[in-house]
Structure formats: structure tokens, C-alpha cells
Amino acid sequence: MGKFKSISPIGHIILVAGLIYSLLSVNPLHTFLAVVLPFILVKLSWKNDEAPILFTALMTQYMAISVKVFYANYSNLAFDDISLHRYPDYINEAYYWGMGGLVTLALGIHFAIRGFKHTNNTSILAASHQFNGDKLGKLYLLLAIAYPILFKLSFSIGGLQQPLSKLIEFKWALFFIFMIYAFYKNEKKMFLWIASAELLFSFTGFFSGFKDYFLILFIGMVVLYGQNFKLQNIIPLGVILIVGFYTLMIWQYVKPAYREFLNAGQKTQTSVRSTEESLFKLYNLVTEIDSTGIKEGFEATVNRLSYIEFLSGAIEHVPYQLEHTNGELWLGAVERVLKPRILFPEKAAIDDSEKARLYTGQDYSGVESGTSISLGYFAESYVDFGKTGMLLILLVFGFVIGSIYRYILKQSPDLLIGTALTIPLFFVIFNYERALDKIFGALFMYLIIYLAFNRLVIKKTIEYLKND
């Protein structure tokens, strides 16, 4: 236990094939880095006996940096020539420094978790036998019903919005345990019915959460089937990735028209439609898609996944038009955490678009238009400290993330429960585009809620779920 993943024979084949592909591609150096980096991230963040929580979080950020390299190769164009770039002049620098930042973030995580080995050597799969399937299903069904109600309620409670929203995200911990139990014990029926209904209803809100289900399902399937890279084990993982990407592509195409229908043309991020109306409209939009729509959806997906544009824009604008802020943004993120809104109601709301305007010199729609465009915490770190300083602060931040992850696992009775409790942490750290204020505040709030949960709720809940 405790050793990091080694590259399997199939992994070596994939690596060699990727290297050959990079040499033959239009962008050999860019592609070489894109091919090699996932293998580096495996060695830095994923241990044999653990679920790929940290690795998957890093890989979603890797996609935000590298997806346009693969698109450029697909289009047979140089990386800085593709028309999807908003800030092409510094896009190459943004790519290389973005990749470097991701490596240093992973290194920080690695330094925090490398010496950890859980004292309970029960595997994640074996630990699922301890639970009562009926109780798991009933409790999760209750949380699945309560989740959307509490989520909507959180926006009307002012200063308690962030704590409540983070609190209800702990339902994902039970989702993970229920999923592992259902598949490993081959008692999938109830889980699949509930999860499918949740997935369907996730499309009825202004912000669809369908990708969350695919990500956690992928992590769970890796735990269940990824121990041995045989064909019958790889197929479920491939199916999830393909279906997830295709769903994202369709969603990106229909999203503008669908959202306009949901908010009835108002410049808000809320739906005024009933569930039935929403699903019927979505069905009509999806069934009307033709080959042109598929192509547009593919390009929209590439644009949506990629997020190095804002690092490129920041490099173009800072320090040439504005000086580096020398830690002001990071310090502001820390100060916001120390001033909870419930005690400081006068605290200004976060306006991500305002930062994007200021540090790229470009105009972006903001709260006045019902939208929010963030620089992302890599770009904000660059604005604060420059390129080298960005790497150093990301190294430290990675160590903080790894330390919290290690602490959660260490405090848990076994790896299954520990892993489940880090699922809400995954949703804090997986998003490359997340604003610094929000990722730091969410990380702090996650830790506070976990500590309260661990003291008051977790032990009794586990006892209940294990009691026959």
C-alpha cells in the first residue's frame, strides 16, 4: 500500500503511440507535452490503493490547457493559428506556463501525500461489504430529493449561501459509497434508477450538473474496473468518456436557446419554467440537431473545455499595461475567508467579470447581464506574482490541497469512507477556470464543514448504514 501507480504494459503502448503521434503532428512540441503530462500526473498524484480523486481533478484542468492542441492537430493548423483563440499573441506562452503550473500544483500535492499509508489495509471494494444496501438506497433517495430543494433555498439565505451549498455537496459522499456497493455487490437496480432520474432532472436548471455525475461515475468505474487493464475492464471506462463527451457536445449546442427559454429572455441565471416544460423544450432542441449542429457543438465544446485564453490575455496585459499586484489577489482571497458574510454583511459580492476586464483589457459581460466570466486561479496567480511566482504559489497551494486530502483519509476508518468524504473536495479543486476568491473560500468552507460533520454526524451515520 502507499505506492504510486506504475505504468502498465498497455500504458507503455499508449505512451509510445502518443509519442509517435506527437512527432507526426502539426504541433510536435505542444503535442509531446500533452502526451507525456498525464503519465507524470499519474506518478505524482495517484496511489495504487486509492481512487483517482486527485488525478482526475488534475486531468480536468489538463484538458482546459491542452484540448486546443489536439483540436489544432485535427484541423491541421499551427496551435497559434486556429481561429478559436481570443488572445493569440501569447497563447504559446500561456500553454507552456499553464502546463508548468499544473506540474508544480501536482508536485505540491505529491509532497503532501507521498509518505501517507492508511493504517486500515481494507481495500475500497472490500470495505463496501460492510454496508446495508437497503439503508444506503433509502438514505440516498432522501438526499437526492432534498438536494435540489436545499440548493435553491441556499440562494435566499444571504450569508449562509456558501456554507449551505457546501454542506449539501456532501451528498456526493453517499452517492460514491452507494455506487461502489451497488456495482461491486451486483445490486445495481435501485442505484441506476435513482442516478438516472437525478441525471435527467439535472438538465432542468439554468446550470446543468450532468458532468458531475459522469465525473464521479468515471472515478467509481476506475475503482471497480481499472485495477487490471483488460479489454472487458477498459470498455466501461471508454463508454463513460464517450457518452460524457457527446452529451457535453450536445449540451453546448442547445444551451444558448435552452437557457433563453428557461429564463424567458430575462438577463438572469434562474429558470421560470416548470420541470415538464423544461424537459419538453430540451427534448425538442436535441431531436432537431443536424450534422451542422453536431459540428458547431463540437467546436463549442472545445471552446468551453479550453480555458488558457485568460492566462494568455493576462500575460498580454500585465505588466505591459498594468503592474503585477504583488499578492493582492491572494491576500484578498484569504481576507474574504476571514470575513464571513453573515458577520460582515457589507462585504462586496465577487464580480469575476470585473477582474477579467481589468487584467485582460477586454470587455466582458458581468452580473448586469446575468453572466460571470472569471480569469481562473492560474491567471490570477500570474497577475499577482508573475510567471515564476505563479509556479511557486501553485506549488504551495498544491501542498495545501494534498495535506487536506491526506488529513481526511487519515481521520477516516477506512479508504472507502475517506475517499467518499473527499468527493466534495474534488468539486472544489477540479475546475481550472475557478476564480481564486471562490476556490480558496470553497476549500476553507469544505474543511470547516467536514470537521463539523466528522464530530457530529459521520460516525452515527456510518453505524446506521452498517447496522443490519
Side-chain angles (χ1 to χ4, degrees):
M1 289 180 67
K3 293 183 178 180
F4 286 87
K5 287 278 184 182
S6 58
I7 302 175
S8 67
I10 290 182
H12 281 99
I13 293 172
I14 294 172
L15 176 58
V16 171
L19 292 175
I20 294 172
Y21 163 68
S22 68
L23 290 173
L24 299 176
S25 70
V26 183
N27 304 280
L29 182 56
H30 296 78
T31 310
F32 172 81
L33 289 177
V35 167
V36 170
L37 192 60
F39 294 90
I40 296 174
L41 298 180
V42 165
K43 297 297 295 180
L44 292 178
S45 63
W46 186 6
K47 291 186 176 182
N48 286 322
D49 47 324
E50 296 176 14
I53 301 291
L54 297 171
F55 171 70
T56 305
L58 291 170
M59 281 299 292
T60 58
Q61 300 189 63
Y62 157 85
M63 287 300 297
I65 300 169
S66 66
V67 66
K68 283 188 179 175
V69 170
F70 297 106
Y71 178 81
N73 291 338
Y74 166 79
S75 303
N76 202 34
L77 293 170
F79 178 59
D80 53 1
D81 281 345
I82 58 176
S83 60
L84 298 183
H85 293 313
R86 183 160 185 162
Y87 304 100
D89 293 344
Y90 289 84
I91 199 67
N92 286 307
E93 282 191 54
Y95 176 73
Y96 293 128
W97 284 100
M99 285 295 210
L102 192 59
V103 170
T104 55
L105 184 72
L107 275 171
I109 290 172
H110 180 81
F111 292 147
I113 67 173
R114 61 180 175 174
F116 173 72
K117 183 171 67 174
H118 203 285
T119 55
N120 186 335
N121 61 4
T122 305
S123 71
I124 291 175
L125 296 179
S128 67
H129 281 285
Q130 307 169 51
F131 289 94
N132 181 303
D134 288 338
K135 289 185 176 181
L136 273 173
K138 290 174 182 177
L139 182 56
Y140 185 73
L141 178 60
L142 178 64
L143 291 180
I145 294 171
Y147 179 82
I149 299 172
L150 292 173
F151 184 75
K152 288 183 179 179
L153 181 64
S154 69
F155 289 95
S156 62
I157 306 184
L160 292 177
Q161 192 275 325
Q162 189 182 47
L164 185 55
S165 64
K166 287 286 156 268
L167 174 64
I168 59 181
E169 283 183 3
F170 273 82
K171 77 109 179 180
W172 288 105
L174 192 60
F175 179 92
F176 183 81
I177 294 173
F178 189 24
M179 174 178 60
I180 296 296
Y181 173 90
F183 279 88
Y184 191 57
K185 296 274 287 185
N186 199 25
E187 298 178 10
K188 309 183 191 74
K189 188 174 181 180
M190 181 182 288
F191 172 78
L192 290 176
W193 272 110
I194 298 173
S196 298
E198 277 195 292
L199 180 61
L200 179 63
F201 288 124
S202 72
F203 287 101
T204 61
F206 193 87
F207 297 102
S208 175
F210 72 90
K211 68 180 183 300
D212 299 343
Y213 292 92
F214 280 106
L215 287 168
I216 301 306
L217 186 60
F218 176 76
I219 291 172
M221 293 302 103
V222 170
V223 172
L224 288 159
Y225 302 116
Q227 302 302 318
N228 297 306
F229 281 94
K230 297 179 181 178
L231 182 61
Q232 62 267 35
N233 293 338
I234 294 175
I235 288 175
L237 302 177
V239 168
I240 292 170
L241 290 176
I242 292 170
V243 172
F245 183 82
Y246 188 77
T247 304
L248 180 61
M249 189 168 62
I250 297 299
W251 171 250
Q252 288 302 319
Y253 177 73
V254 304
K255 183 172 65 175
Y258 183 56
R259 284 183 168 177
E260 187 174 357
F261 170 80
L262 291 180
N263 64 16
Q266 302 173 20
K267 293 181 178 181
T268 63
Q269 297 179 343
T270 57
S271 174
V272 297
R273 307 292 185 177
S274 68
T275 299
E276 293 78 12
E277 288 177 316
S278 301
L279 290 176
F280 185 72
K281 179 64 174 180
L282 183 61
Y283 173 79
N284 286 337
L285 289 171
V286 170
T287 54
E288 291 170 0
I289 296 177
D290 55 14
S291 58
T292 301
I294 295 292
K295 182 178 183 296
E296 291 178 10
F298 173 68
E299 292 186 350
T301 300
V302 171
N303 253 338
R304 182 65 185 87
L305 289 176
S306 178
Y307 216 81
I308 58 167
E309 302 291 334
F310 293 94
L311 179 56
S312 177
I315 293 173
E316 181 178 326
H317 199 66
V318 179
Y320 306 107
Q321 304 298 323
L322 287 177
E323 293 296 325
H324 289 288
T325 47
N326 300 316
E328 179 182 316
L329 300 182
W330 268 92
L331 181 61
V334 174
E335 287 180 345
R336 289 191 70 87
V337 165
L338 300 177
K339 293 181 176 180
R341 191 174 300 279
I342 193 170
L343 299 178
F344 297 87
E346 75 285 355
K347 184 170 69 172
I350 296 173
D351 188 347
D352 295 331
S353 298
E354 179 59 32
K355 285 184 182 178
R357 295 186 196 108
L358 180 61
Y359 298 117
T360 65
Q362 300 291 321
D363 189 34
Y364 289 100
S365 299
V367 292
E368 71 283 351
S369 301
T371 59
S372 178
I373 304 294
S374 66
L375 279 174
Y377 71 103
F378 273 51
E380 289 186 58
S381 297
Y382 164 77
V383 169
D384 253 357
F385 302 111
K387 295 167 184 172
T388 304
M390 177 187 77
L391 300 186
L392 293 175
I393 195 66
L394 289 175
L395 179 71
V396 174
F397 190 51
F399 186 81
V400 171
I401 292 170
S403 298
I404 293 174
Y405 173 85
R406 173 176 174 158
Y407 175 78
I408 303 300
L409 290 191
K410 185 176 181 180
Q411 296 299 310
S412 302
D414 58 53
L415 281 175
L416 173 58
I417 294 169
T419 302
L421 292 170
T422 61
I423 297 294
L425 173 64
F426 169 82
F427 287 118
V428 172
I429 64 174
F430 85 108
N431 205 333
Y432 180 87
E433 69 190 63
R434 197 158 197 172
L436 183 56
D437 289 329
K438 292 180 178 177
I439 193 172
F440 195 83
L443 189 63
F444 178 80
M445 190 56 61
Y446 162 78
L447 184 58
I448 293 298
I449 291 174
Y450 163 76
L451 292 173
F453 249 51
N454 193 43
R455 184 176 181 85
L456 302 173
V457 177
I458 292 174
K459 184 177 179 180
K460 292 179 180 179
T461 303
I462 292 171
E463 288 175 354
Y464 165 76
L465 292 173
K466 290 182 177 180
N467 188 350
D468 291 330

